Amino acid sequence: MIVKRSILRPPVSAEPAAHPAATAGSSAAAWGLVLIRLTFGLLMAGHGAQKVLGWFGGGGPAATGRGFEALGYRPGEVFAVIAGLSEMLGGLGLALGFLTPLAAAALIGVMINAVVTVTGPRGLWVMDGGAEYNVGIAVVALAIAAVGPGRLAVDRFFRWRDGGWTAAAVALALGGAGAALSLGL
């Protein structure tokens, strides 16, 4: 019996590929998710540190608190610390892939507040002072909760490592509840 094999198509094997790049921990997707988590998470942590610690040119709690008071948050300094800690700890959580749904919820809650009180009334585009930036942050945080932090994360030992609808729903529900609570006070 003669078997023809196409030059363009490699033979199909019943065995899974044993290529080292195909392993879950070293795939481009796994490292790409780490890159997103680290970049996004550390930038958000720095943004929060501006509010809480006055680092990176930030005003710290006193100056940021005056800005929050002007927006109607009273006492402004308390809300500035809450927002700053939410950004800082949420950002660090995403960067490390630690308690990912809760870290995403912290950032989503702050961004909902920012849209409602500052950027939303100005439209969508950031050039006009609009919500574009805040919406982007909230969506990235929600997406990371939905896809999970991946295998190269502290959460790799927990079931939410792989994300899913439940993790995304928890992040969105807790972020929304936190925003509603702070907006209602």
Side-chain angles (χ1 to χ4, degrees), residues 12-18:
V12 178
S13 171
E15 298 293 317

Side-chain angles (χ1 to χ4, degrees), residues 17-181:
H19 193 273
T23 61
S26 66
S27 73
W31 284 102
L33 188 53
V34 169
L35 181 62
I36 291 168
R37 282 194 355 254
L38 283 174
T39 303
F40 180 75
L42 292 177
L43 286 172
M44 289 310 303
H47 193 71
Q50 290 176 317
K51 291 176 178 74
V52 176
L53 304 170
W55 291 0
F56 313 116
T64 306
R66 287 191 293 277
F68 272 62
E69 291 244 352
L71 295 170
Y73 291 97
R74 297 199 193 323
E77 200 165 323
V78 170
F79 279 98
V81 169
I82 291 169
L85 284 174
S86 295
E87 290 171 343
M88 196 165 68
L89 297 176
L92 289 174
L94 285 186
L96 295 171
F98 180 61
L99 300 175
T100 303
L102 298 179
L107 296 176
I108 291 167
V110 173
M111 292 306 116
I112 291 171
N113 270 283
V115 168
V116 170
T117 59
V118 181
T119 61
R122 298 178 184 161
L124 178 61
W125 304 114
V126 78
M127 288 176 43
D128 300 322
E132 169 187 6
Y133 173 71
N134 305 115
V135 170
I137 291 170
V139 169
V140 169
L142 181 59
I144 291 172
V147 300
R151 295 187 184 279
L152 301 173
V154 176
D155 281 346
R156 70 183 173 274
F157 301 111
F158 302 106
R159 77 175 114 190
W160 58 84
R161 170 193 75 210
D162 297 323
W165 290 111
T166 302
V170 165
L172 190 56
L174 290 178
L181 179 64

